[in-house]
Amino acid sequence: MRSPHLTTRTRRAAYALAALAVSTALTACEPGLDPQGAGPNPTSGPTAASAAPTQPQGTSTPDSVTSTAPSPAASADPVPATSQPAATSAPSATPSSEPSPQPTAPAVPAGLETFYNQEISWEACADGAANAQCATVSVPLDYDDPTGTTISIALRRQAASDGEAENGALFLNPGGPGESGTAFVSAIAPGYTPEMLASYDLIGFDPRGTGDSTHLTCWAPEESAPSGTEDTGSTGAGDVEVAPGDEDGAAKDTDLSEATAVVENNRAAGSALAAACRQYSEVPDLIDHMSTVETARDLDVLRAVVGEDDLDYLGYSYGTELGATYAALFPDNVGRTVLDSAVDISMTRDQAREEQMATREGRVREYLEYCLGQEGCPLTGSVDEATAQLVSFIASVASEPLAMTVDGQAAQMDSMTLHNNISNLALAREEYWPALTRALSAAMTQRDATELARVAALAPGTGQQDTTPDSEAVRVANAAYSAVTCTDDPVEGDAAAWAQDLLADLQAYPFTTWFIGSSSLEEAYCQGMGLTARPLTTELSPTDPVVVIGVTGDPQTPYAWSQTLDSQFGTSHLLTVTGFQHGATGINSCATVKVSEFLVTGQLPAEEEVCPIDPLPEAIAEALAQ
């Protein structure tokens, strides 16, 4: 049964008429940012267990260069901001001599009436948050068999600050796939404008297979790591001796048999993970129903059960793929939709990984070129030689971790953490590069990572891998990532081709491939999982406008992807954001205002509008200069 409150369309019309009394005052207001120009807080980097939009780290923490699972080098994740830029006040309403027509509720798909008409029961959340309520909704495991097994989807609602929620519910998705949307709500909300928080109930949900929803369990209770995936944190190629090179930077020759063995290890690991998921999950067949298409169908059930005729939606990274899929399946149900740091849904899995690798490797090479021109750079020779030297150094740390001091305590930095810290800083804006060079010099010449750890803690969220220790939540997210990734596209190629491709990637993208993997290894892993592909629907024709956001230097979802997705919609507007972070809404002050204006009032960004990069906060600049 639908909730008795007003639908979104009816509610918006009512509040527009009510606004007439104050329209004169409202139109006198102008948009503005924090007069201090502080913008978002870039110091709170993402963690694998955090709610920031992010992709999980394979099927385990990325501490081993021999890991095998599909690596989410793609998406991770915007960092919630703490500032609240002011949005433009709502425009005045225009009186109408005739009553607005009553909207027609979307038709319920045949055979799914029980799910669409169920009543939702909101209750206090387990964490006791005063302004939040939680609930679960039932959906079919298999939409082709709606009378069969059901699973539950967990939701969390943060009530609108004005108690009215005149725009209804805004559904959020942080990306991944595999990340918790219920945890995301409270984490990202401080970065939104007061107008957004007053106009909407924010709703996060844990997609099927994740979080507090019916989720995957792919390991026995007594196991300390997911079964069959003990070495899986990414599709890293550490077993292949390509680069590191010799001390002078010359790459070693590679034995094709070594590459073939790594490919086979990935295939076997994928097979082991799928078998373990079927053995230990509460619903054994859940792993066979983890596609984005099925999650989009779940989202339409959630829309109806919450009581909305339209889906107002804000998705980041992979969440844009989910939002675009929803728009393709339910074009007439699309409300105000924002797709932030967009994914090009027309690409294959292999194409997406290849473009990510090229983007990330290219940015690292830009840093290395900068470093070679600076006094104190610990690297020498050409950019190619410097890359080989850097990879060799990082690989050496696998057997001899770097010493460091953290909060006065002796500690160590392992090779994957070292790689991730260097990557975070190299992928960030150029203001971080002098500090990276100094820290890298201390690490390479003194084998002391103290300064690198300090500087890396100042880095913004770039969507780069992190090294949060393993946990139940991380394991679930990682297993879900693999299942969704391997279901959304059919496997391409074979073992012989993958081995050759791996060698080519190690030569073309040595810094990236050596530690976080190759598209060829991802294909091998997915072949091992043996899941039936359920490709995305890519015909996009929603009836309402969509805002697509791309960040020019995004290392996870390259800016070109947002341009392509924008071209695939007939009704979208592209908002370009200058910067190097992954994600914009709640992070970049200008983008946050533009999104707020669209969601709250329906005002679209101007054609070809570009948001500038926020100034680097003074506290961060001072810390980097120390």
Side-chain angles (χ1 to χ4, degrees):
M1 179 179 295
R2 295 175 61 83
S3 299
H5 62 273
L6 292 172
T7 65
T8 303
R9 289 172 181 161
T10 305
R11 196 161 41 231
R12 284 176 178 155
Y15 277 89
L17 292 173
L20 286 174
V22 294
S23 63
T24 303
L26 289 178
T27 54
C29 299
E30 294 182 359
L33 301 179
D34 178 353
Q36 301 301 318
N41 175 9
T43 64
S44 51
T47 63
S50 75
T54 179
Q55 288 189 336
Q57 311 308 310
T59 27
S60 180
T61 54
D63 294 328
S64 168
V65 294
T66 61
S67 45
T68 52
S71 169
S75 63
D77 306 42
V79 180
T82 56
S83 61
Q84 293 180 335
T88 303
S89 300
S92 60
T94 302
S96 173
S97 59
E98 297 182 3
S100 301
Q102 292 298 311
T104 301
V108 174
L112 298 177
E113 292 83 359
T114 300
F115 299 100
Y116 274 76
N117 295 325
Q118 65 187 292
E119 281 195 51
I120 189 170
S121 178
W122 294 103
E123 299 177 350
C125 297
D127 62 7
N131 66 337
Q133 295 176 306
C134 292
T136 58
V137 169
S138 295
V139 297
L141 171 68
D142 182 355
Y143 278 90
D144 291 334
D145 183 18
T147 61
T149 303
T150 63
I151 58 175
S152 64
I153 305 297
L155 300 89
R156 182 184 179 99
R157 177 175 67 181
Q158 178 172 309
S161 61
D162 68 357
E164 299 292 339
E166 57 266 29
N167 280 12
L170 176 65
F171 283 81
L172 306 175
N173 183 274
E179 290 303 306
S180 169
T182 57
F184 178 60
V185 172
S186 57
I188 193 65
Y192 293 161
T193 66
E195 290 80 0
M196 283 179 65
L197 298 177
S199 299
Y200 282 103
D201 289 334
L202 303 181
I203 295 185
F205 64 100
D206 292 342
R208 56 171 54 210
T210 72
D212 290 329
S213 296
T214 303
H215 61 255
L216 293 173
T217 303
C218 307
W219 50 90
E222 66 273 13
E223 290 178 338
S224 60
S227 177
T229 61
E230 287 80 357
D231 294 327
T232 62
S234 69
T235 46
D239 281 346
V240 179
E241 203 149 332
V242 169
D246 299 327
E247 289 301 320
D248 64 358
K252 296 179 180 179
D253 291 333
T254 302
D255 188 338
L256 179 60
S257 65
E258 292 179 299
T260 301
V262 173
V263 167
E264 174 53 29
N265 287 342
N266 276 265
R267 191 206 61 76
S271 178
L273 176 68
C277 292
R278 292 190 177 92
Q279 180 178 356
Y280 296 114
S281 294
E282 176 186 353
V283 178
D285 293 338
L286 178 58
I287 192 172
D288 298 304
H289 296 280
M290 289 289 295
S291 69
T292 298
V293 169
E294 288 162 309
T295 298
R297 298 192 70 176
D298 294 343
L299 185 53
D300 197 54
V301 173
L302 301 182
R303 169 201 59 76
V305 172
V306 167
E308 302 296 340
D309 288 342
D310 307 315
L311 179 77
D312 284 9
Y313 177 83
L314 170 53
Y316 298 80
S317 195
Y318 164 78
T320 68
E321 187 172 310
L322 175 60
T325 300
Y326 181 90
L329 293 173
F330 304 101
D332 294 334
N333 299 353
V334 173
R336 293 174 184 171
T337 295
V338 179
L339 306 179
D340 189 333
S341 297
V343 174
D344 175 3
I345 63 172
S346 68
M347 291 188 303
T348 65
R349 179 174 52 236
D350 179 77
Q351 289 171 332
R353 168 74 80 166
E354 194 76 12
E355 291 193 16
Q356 288 166 351
M357 292 168 65
T359 297
R360 298 164 78 86
E361 191 81 13
R363 182 63 173 168
V364 170
R365 288 178 65 86
E366 288 179 16
Y367 163 71
L368 293 177
E369 184 174 13
Y370 160 85
C371 181
L372 290 169
Q374 304 302 307
E375 183 177 352
C377 180
L379 305 167
T380 60
S382 67
V383 172
D384 287 342
E385 289 169 336
T387 302
Q389 293 163 25
L390 183 59
V391 170
S392 181
F393 167 65
I394 296 172
S396 74
V397 175
S399 58
E400 186 182 353
L402 299 179
M404 63 179 180
T405 302
V406 179
D407 296 329
Q409 302 294 316
Q412 292 183 325
M413 182 179 290
D414 61 40
S415 61
M416 189 54 73
T417 304
L418 174 63
H419 174 270
N420 295 338
N421 287 341
I422 294 171
S423 295
N424 271 339
L425 292 163
L427 294 172
R429 55 201 291 174
E430 285 87 346
E431 290 97 324
Y432 287 84
W433 288 1
L436 171 57
T437 300
R438 294 192 302 271
L440 186 59
S441 179
M444 294 186 70
T445 61
Q446 305 169 33
R447 298 195 71 82
D448 185 343
T450 301
E451 179 64 5
L452 183 59
R454 184 190 74 83
V455 173
L458 302 172
T462 58
Q464 178 57 32
Q465 307 272 343
D466 61 63
T467 54
T468 301
D470 195 17
S471 69
E472 184 79 5
V474 173
R475 291 190 206 172
V476 170
N478 292 336
Y481 174 86
S482 295
V484 175
T485 300
C486 292
T487 301
D488 280 352
D489 284 288
V491 172
E492 297 182 345
D494 55 31
W498 296 330
Q500 294 287 357
D501 290 345
L502 174 57
L503 299 184
D505 285 343
L506 281 163
Q507 293 291 346
Y509 319 116
F511 183 82
T512 304
T513 304
W514 189 269
F515 298 101
I516 64 173
S518 163
S519 59
S520 60
L521 298 184
E522 195 161 52
E523 292 303 302
Y525 195 94
C526 289
Q527 184 189 65
M529 290 195 77
L531 304 178
T532 300
R534 292 181 170 84
L536 305 179
T537 302
T538 59
E539 294 184 7
L540 302 173
S541 56
T543 55
D544 284 350
V546 171
V547 171
V548 176
I549 301 176
V551 180
T552 55
D554 189 334
Q556 289 294 97
T557 53
Y559 175 66
W561 293 3
S562 295
Q563 293 175 302
T564 303
L565 184 63
D566 173 58
S567 70
Q568 293 167 351
F569 278 102
T571 57
S572 64
H573 284 64
L574 176 64
L575 176 63
T576 298
V577 178
T578 305
F580 296 93
Q581 80 280 0
H582 183 52
T585 309
I587 300 168
N588 175 275
S589 56
C590 166
T592 303
V593 168
K594 296 300 178 181
V595 169
S596 178
E597 290 173 344
F598 171 61
L599 291 174
V600 175
T601 72
Q603 179 180 332
L604 289 160
E607 291 291 338
E608 300 183 358
E609 185 154 4
V610 178
C611 280
I613 192 170
D614 283 322
L616 188 67
E618 183 177 348
I620 299 298
E622 291 177 353
L624 289 172
Q626 292 177 3

